[in-house]
Amino acid sequence: MELLDNLALGFATSLSWQNLLLCFLGVLLGTLVGVLPGIGPVATISMLLPITFVMPPVAALIMMAGIYYGTQYGGSTTAILINMPGEASSIVTALDGHQMARQGRAGTALATAAIGSFFAGTCATLLVALLAPPLTELALKVGSPEYFALMVLGLIASITLAQGSVMKALAMLVLGVLLGTVGQDLDSGTERFTFGLPELADGLEFVAMAMGLFGICEILRNLEIGRSRSPEVSAVGGLMPTREEFRQMVKPMLRGTALGSALGVLPGGGAILASFASYSLEKKLAEQPQRFGKGAIEGIAGPESANNAAAQTSFIPMLTLGIPASPVLALMIGALIVQGITPGPTVMLQQPALFWGLICSMWLGNAMLLVLNLPLVGIWVRLLTVRYHLLYPIIVGFCCIGVLSISNNVFHVYSLIGFGLIGYLLLRLDFEPAPLLLGFVIGPLLEVNFRRSLVLSAGDPIIFLERPATAAMLGLAALALIVAALPAMRRRRDHAFVE
């Protein structure tokens, strides 16, 4: 009964004209971002952060969430039609989706992606509504040592699941945590690492860092790579799958939804990991695995369901613990902190309208996406003809105006440019900036809980080993780091042996 009351509050909040409009704008913009390769949800939300500060927190969160899961839809459109995934999680969809399009079944492929995404998003939203309250109650009963250990485990898991070198990801994570210490000390008020600059007394500007590392950096990288896009698209054809195709879709959708829901709560690229895992699972279970890569409808239904379910359930650790499972959710947490709301288990009690309004808006957003995506296919494809040399200067100008509007301080514009150049340099050296942002957001919370734990134990660090739950989580974090580092250590040893 309590769940029904909470859902009623959530729908009352999300169905207000302002929140409904922002949800629509979020999913529409998310679809656009998913269609256009080279931008992505992280860069988009980074650029929109200044706008969210003048909105009510629930409205800002609903819009940003819509952008996040809307990109999962948009990325599949160009993956199917022109074999150009707009999002990394849509790479798998292109394998069979584009083959179906070449066979004159583009409409069926698009409908399969939309239906699978809507079904998975609906189920995952219900799962978030069911699991969030008990997890929140559990989170309220744990102390600072458990929170510290949980944050360490989450951060370590995020780098072990990330692509590329684990040690480089760990270095970025540590750098992010260190950058989070810039500013005044939490207890004494003493300035730390400000180098005499009064602009750094309150710490580094989160918006400038996010926009620079992802917005400006992505533009510089795309300009270097250069992109050739072909707007030539074959006829979409009929949209409704046949009865036999529906039968082939059902089981992959169910398995993809279950797999994506489970993997979504893991830190790192949950949606990407879920889509690849779903494709591998469907191929192994198929009676004719040779059909995959040649237009198998199961190769679309499973991964599309998995990546959308993962995008929804990734909100569980954010809503219940205040721990982001991805850089996008780290941006959302940063936006809430700027507005004076500390993410975590107390949000559900202190801000129930925000908590349940966001959950209910997810279902509304998925329904909007189902209606939006198929009729607007032609418009999305035409947008691919927009030349990047026109698009990118507009994005850079928007970033500068947005950062300047926060505090009318030119120093933050310099910070934006500096972080953009740093992000580009890091990418050239094969360092991913996403762990840096996660470390920067979680670092202050990590420090707070670490200090509180030491206060409880009168400065004795043994408190982290005395509590079973804390010791277990720290042990898992150490084990995950060792297991992730073993392949690199083995390759280095083999290379030294050959020499």
Side-chain angles (χ1 to χ4, degrees), residues 405-489:
S405 66
I406 296 173
S407 58
N408 199 28
N409 192 334
V410 180
F411 180 81
H412 294 155
V413 178
Y414 297 149
S415 300
L416 166 74
I417 298 170
F419 279 115
L421 295 175
I422 290 172
Y424 174 70
L425 179 62
L426 291 174
L427 286 178
R428 288 296 304 270
L429 297 174
D430 293 327
F431 285 89
E432 286 290 335
L436 190 153
L437 185 65
L438 286 173
F440 181 76
V441 172
I442 295 297
L445 299 175
L446 196 72
E447 182 184 3
V448 166
N449 286 285
F450 180 72
R451 286 190 170 193
R452 287 176 180 171
S453 301
L454 292 181
V455 168
L456 289 174
S457 65
D460 191 352
I462 198 67
I463 190 174
F464 298 110
L465 301 178
E466 287 178 339
R467 302 194 180 198
T470 305
M473 286 187 283
L474 291 176
L476 283 174
L479 181 63
L481 191 59
I482 292 172
V483 170
L486 279 177
M489 295 170 62

Side-chain angles (χ1 to χ4, degrees), residues 42 45-46 49 53 61 64 147 151-152 154-155 158 172-182 186 192 203-211 213-214 317-319 321-339 341-344 419 433-449:
V42 181
I45 294 177
S46 299
L49 278 177
F53 299 153
L61 206 57
M64 289 188 288
Y147 262 116
M151 289 177 184
V152 171
L155 290 173
S158 69
M172 288 292 94
L173 184 66
V174 173
L175 178 59
V177 172
L178 290 175
L179 291 176
T181 63
V182 174
L186 298 173
R192 304 181 298 186
L204 291 167
E205 177 56 51
F206 171 75
V207 178
M209 175 182 288
M211 282 187 172
L213 288 177
F214 294 98
M318 171 194 163
L319 292 173
L321 304 171
I323 298 177
S326 68
V328 176
L329 299 181
L331 289 171
M332 294 187 194
I333 286 181
L336 289 178
I337 292 174
V338 171
Q339 295 215 25
I341 297 175
T342 302
F419 279 115
L436 190 153
L437 185 65
L438 286 173
F440 181 76
V441 172
I442 295 297
L445 299 175
L446 196 72
E447 182 184 3
V448 166
N449 286 285

Side-chain angles (χ1 to χ4, degrees), residues 133-169:
L135 286 175
T136 299
E137 291 181 8
L138 179 64
L140 289 169
K141 296 177 182 178
V142 302
S144 295
E146 287 79 13
Y147 262 116
F148 171 77
L150 185 61
M151 289 177 184
V152 171
L153 177 59
L155 290 173
I156 295 298
S158 69
I159 64 172
T160 56
L161 292 174
Q163 298 177 347
S165 170
V166 174
M167 298 312 295
K168 287 183 176 180

Side-chain angles (χ1 to χ4, degrees), residues 116-127 257 308 312 362-363 366-367:
S117 296
F118 174 73
F119 174 79
T122 300
C123 294
T125 300
L126 181 61
L127 193 65
T257 300
N308 204 267
Q312 307 281 347
M362 292 180 188
W363 188 87
N366 276 281

Side-chain angles (χ1 to χ4, degrees), residues 85-341:
E87 269 294 293
S89 58
S90 300
I91 293 173
V92 175
T93 305
L95 299 177
D96 285 280
H98 187 60
Q99 290 300 318
M100 288 182 66
R102 294 181 64 182
Q103 297 165 12
R105 301 162 62 203
T108 302
L110 289 168
T112 301
I115 294 169
S117 296
F118 174 73
F119 174 79
T122 300
C123 294
T125 300
L126 181 61
L127 193 65
V128 174
L130 291 174
L131 292 182
L135 286 175
T136 299
E137 291 181 8
L138 179 64
L140 289 169
K141 296 177 182 178
V142 302
S144 295
E146 287 79 13
Y147 262 116
F148 171 77
L150 185 61
M151 289 177 184
V152 171
L153 177 59
L155 290 173
I156 295 298
S158 69
I159 64 172
T160 56
L161 292 174
Q163 298 177 347
S165 170
V166 174
M167 298 312 295
K168 287 183 176 180
L170 180 61
M172 288 292 94
L173 184 66
V174 173
L175 178 59
V177 172
L178 290 175
L179 291 176
T181 63
V182 174
Q184 293 183 343
D185 182 83
L186 298 173
D187 294 330
S188 65
T190 305
E191 292 187 359
R192 304 181 298 186
F193 310 115
T194 60
F195 303 103
L197 296 173
E199 292 86 356
L200 294 178
D202 293 328
L204 291 167
E205 177 56 51
F206 171 75
V207 178
M209 175 182 288
M211 282 187 172
L213 288 177
F214 294 98
I216 305 298
C217 173
E218 283 296 315
I219 290 173
L220 293 174
R221 183 173 68 170
N222 289 325
L223 287 174
E224 178 191 29
I225 296 174
R227 290 181 181 270
S228 59
R229 300 179 293 177
S230 174
E232 300 298 328
V233 181
S234 58
V236 173
L239 293 176
M240 290 306 296
T242 64
R243 181 177 297 180
E244 176 62 21
E245 287 170 335
F246 264 119
R247 187 190 65 79
Q248 294 174 336
M249 288 164 51
V250 172
K251 290 183 179 179
M253 282 168 52
L254 292 171
R255 287 191 288 261
T257 300
L259 187 62
S261 298
L263 294 176
V265 298
L266 296 176
I272 302 172
L273 186 64
S275 61
F276 277 91
S278 175
Y279 190 83
S280 300
L281 178 64
E282 294 306 321
K283 192 172 182 179
K284 288 180 180 178
L285 296 177
E287 295 179 359
Q288 297 176 313
Q290 65 273 15
R291 292 173 52 244
F292 282 75
K294 300 177 181 178
I297 198 169
E298 301 95 320
I300 300 175
E304 281 298 309
S305 300
N307 70 39
N308 204 267
Q312 307 281 347
T313 56
S314 62
F315 283 88
I316 291 177
M318 171 194 163
L319 292 173
T320 58
L321 304 171
I323 298 177
S326 68
V328 176
L329 299 181
L331 289 171
M332 294 187 194
I333 286 181
L336 289 178
I337 292 174
V338 171
Q339 295 215 25
I341 297 175

